[in-house]
Amino acid sequence: MTVPAYPLPPAARPCARRARALPSSMLALALVLGLGSAALAADGDRPVEVATAEAGSLGRAVEVVGTLRSNESVVIRPEVAGRVTRILFDEGRPVQAGKALVELDSSTNEAELALARAELKLAEADAERARTLFDQKAGTARARDEAVARLASARASLALAEAQFAKTRIIAPFAGIIGLRQVSVGDVVQPGQAIVNLESIDPLKLDFAVPDLLLPRLRPGQRVTVTVDALPGRSFEGEVYAINPLIDERGRSIALRALVPNADGALMPGLFARVGLGLGSGSAGVVVPEQAVVTRNGRFFVFRVAAGTAEQVPVTLGERSDGRVEITAGIAPGETIVVAGQQRLSAKTKVEIVGPDGVPVGTRPNG
């Protein structure tokens, strides 16, 4: 059954109209109140917190791995064959440059040296006699020249004998720590046979590599921070002193070498090292707190305060580190910038500088 639709009584119709119009009235009221609040807020200066832009630049660090090596390293080897007669070092102990380490049997060399000296003495006498006879017209020029040649040969033989004799005494080529010997007294060693290693470990060399994309930011003198698993909780500082001019084609990496001081001898050659290489930004700029930077429409801005007005300034960013950001263009050192409250600012807005507690700086009590 269809229910007939009866029209509302005339007295009820205004009520219905008022009920339907109520949301529009509330909306209008809210709009008026909102505009009134905005107008009230626009009448006063906006409170902001500020900071001073500092001159400087930030760099980032790249983390890589490397290997510690001796500053100088050599395996002591004899140049002549001989029997070991004396070992003049203690294993694992420091030695000075020029210290005798090993002596070989030199009896044969001593005999050769004595023979060479005797032959030189005879050659000197023969040469003097030949010169005298030639000057007295009693000898020929040929005899004089042959005597002089024999003298030169005798001198060369003596120098050779002295050199061979010197090789029976092996000395340290530089100061360092002596390693573990591989021979004993009485052993007969051959030329080139390993006797003991010598390592210079203060400072140590640090070899590591970084991606070739970092080439523009590499230079001698960059600082490195070194940690090793063998010494947890300790870190060591070093400095890059050499960059390999040849890039590794397979790994697309650049080899670098740094020096790491090791006065206490805590580090040893061969240790695996974790390396932090500091990379400078390569451009001078200013450093500001990171919260000072505002992003709008994909661009970066900072509000600069001057004469009570905050002005929106476009900036170019550099590196970020520890809550700070590098500004490479747009802001000069010493300028005052907004670090809190900039969300309520427009391109140019009158501002009042307040502290973190909201109290205006000019009304803050002294002390």
Side-chain angles (χ1 to χ4, degrees):
M1 182 180 63
T2 302
V3 178
Y6 296 99
L8 288 173
R13 292 172 186 170
C15 295
R17 285 197 296 270
R18 285 197 300 271
R20 288 194 298 270
L22 182 59
S24 299
S25 301
M26 292 180 63
L27 180 61
L29 178 60
L31 181 60
V32 169
L33 291 176
L35 292 175
S37 299
L40 290 174
D43 291 337
D45 295 344
R46 298 297 176 91
V48 295
E49 296 178 34
V50 298
T52 302
E54 301 176 356
S57 62
L58 296 177
R60 67 186 181 90
V62 59
E63 302 291 333
V64 295
V65 297
T67 301
L68 291 168
R69 305 189 187 281
S70 299
N71 187 35
E72 300 292 348
S73 177
V74 68
V75 176
I76 303 299
R77 306 174 189 270
E79 295 184 58
V80 296
R83 179 173 53 86
V84 177
T85 57
R86 296 179 67 190
I87 294 178
L88 305 173
F89 64 84
D90 295 323
E91 296 170 288
R93 303 295 298 175
V95 297
Q96 297 300 315
K99 173 182 169 53
L101 301 177
V102 177
E103 288 185 356
L104 305 179
D105 179 26
S106 60
S107 55
T108 301
N109 301 90
E110 289 176 350
E112 292 176 347
L113 183 57
L115 176 60
R117 287 171 177 165
E119 290 179 346
L120 175 60
K121 187 175 181 180
L122 178 59
E124 289 174 341
D126 289 344
E128 182 63 26
R129 187 178 305 110
R131 290 194 190 97
T132 302
L133 293 174
F134 179 78
D135 293 341
Q136 295 175 354
K137 309 298 183 181
T140 64
R142 179 185 179 86
R144 181 201 58 185
D145 294 344
E146 289 177 349
V148 170
R150 285 193 297 271
L151 174 60
S153 178
R155 286 174 177 165
S157 297
L158 176 60
L160 178 61
E162 289 175 339
Q164 292 294 104
F165 177 76
K167 294 180 187 301
T168 63
R169 193 168 185 264
I170 304 173
I171 65 173
F174 52 82
I177 307 297
I178 205 73
L180 306 180
R181 59 185 171 92
Q182 302 180 38
V183 298
S184 300
V185 173
D187 280 345
V188 176
V189 294
Q190 301 299 321
Q193 181 177 336
I195 295 179
V196 69
N197 62 301
L198 176 63
E199 312 292 335
S200 175
I201 63 170
D202 183 27
L204 285 172
K205 291 176 180 175
L206 172 65
D207 287 345
F208 61 99
V210 298
D212 59 358
L213 294 177
L214 297 177
L215 177 60
R217 307 185 69 175
L218 300 178
R219 66 186 185 279
Q222 287 177 294
R223 304 296 297 176
V224 296
T225 302
V226 182
T227 59
V228 295
D229 294 341
L231 299 171
R234 291 194 63 180
S235 64
F236 304 85
E237 300 294 325
E239 182 177 300
V240 174
Y241 76 93
I243 301 174
N244 195 333
L246 179 63
I247 295 178
D248 182 7
E249 295 181 356
R250 293 170 295 179
R252 297 300 175 186
S253 60
I254 306 171
L256 293 89
R257 179 167 287 176
L259 285 180
V260 180
N262 188 36
D264 61 355
L267 298 172
M268 298 187 70
L271 281 175
F272 171 84
R274 304 183 189 277
V275 185
L277 173 66
L279 298 174
S281 66
S283 58
V286 297
V287 177
V288 301
E290 195 167 14
Q291 62 266 28
V293 180
V294 178
T295 304
R296 292 180 177 176
N297 298 323
R299 300 177 63 191
F300 300 105
F301 299 89
V302 166
F303 282 91
R304 177 173 56 202
V305 178
T309 301
E311 178 186 5
Q312 181 176 278
V313 180
V315 294
T316 303
L317 303 187
E319 299 292 343
R320 298 175 186 258
S321 176
D322 298 327
R324 300 192 302 165
V325 61
E326 178 185 272
I327 306 294
T328 59
I331 295 293
E335 291 186 322
T336 301
I337 59 170
V338 177
V339 296
Q342 63 268 55
Q343 293 79 8
R344 300 186 298 272
L345 304 180
S346 58
K348 278 191 176 184
T349 308
K350 289 289 185 179
V351 296
E352 181 179 34
I353 299 175
V354 301
D357 54 1
V359 178
V361 173
T363 61
R364 188 179 300 277
N366 295 328

